[in-house]
Every structure is written in structure tokens, then in C-alpha cells.
Amino acid sequence: MSARLCVSSHPAAAWAEVVAPWLRAHGANWREKRAILAPNATWIAALKGGAVAAGLPVLGVEWHTPGRWRSLALTTFIGQNHRIALREDLHLLLELA
């Protein structure tokens, strides 16, 4: 599994520069676990809307805010010796990047 952090100041720029090309390359592979992390639900709605309007496949793509991703990570790694970032730290990282 690989991860990549791409930063943008506006959903339209993120769509054109990162999300649309990524969905064109990886969107059809619905068996592979894939996720997109966005700063808030408004961004997620804008990016999903762009995908639907462009007719790009999004089946199996998980869309997360930092808080939602953190809660998933906490439930996934329960009982294991992993350190999970605070929700506020995840928001700060997205704002600073």
C-alpha cells in the first residue's frame, strides 16, 4: 500500500491537478482499497460531484475527513501498539501543507 499527500487551496484545483487524474488511473480497480482524504465534508461533496459529472468510476473509493480517518484508524488498530495522531494535529497538518 502506498500513500501520497497532495495539497491544494481549493477543491477545483485539487480536482484538476490530483483527484481527476488519480481516478482516471486507479478508479476502475474497485477491488483495491483506496481512500481520499479531504479537509471537510464540503470538499468531499465537491470532489465527488466532479467525479460523477466527469463519469469517472468511484466504486470502492473511501472519502474521509481527518476526524473520520482518525476514528477508523483507532478502531482498526485497537489493541495494537500504534500511535494515532490527534484529530487537531491532522487538521493542522492539512492546513500547513
Side-chain angles (χ1 to χ4, degrees), residues 2-60:
S2 66
R4 192 171 115 199
L5 177 64
C6 301
V7 180
S8 180
S9 61
H10 192 273
W15 169 255
E17 297 169 16
V18 179
V19 178
W22 185 83
L23 285 173
R24 284 187 190 98
H26 303 285
N29 190 2
W30 56 270
R31 291 183 180 127
E32 181 180 302
K33 189 167 181 88
R34 297 153 304 137
I36 295 176
L37 181 67
N40 56 49
T42 304
W43 273 55
I44 290 173
L47 296 173
K48 280 183 180 180
V52 170
L56 294 173
V58 292
L59 180 66

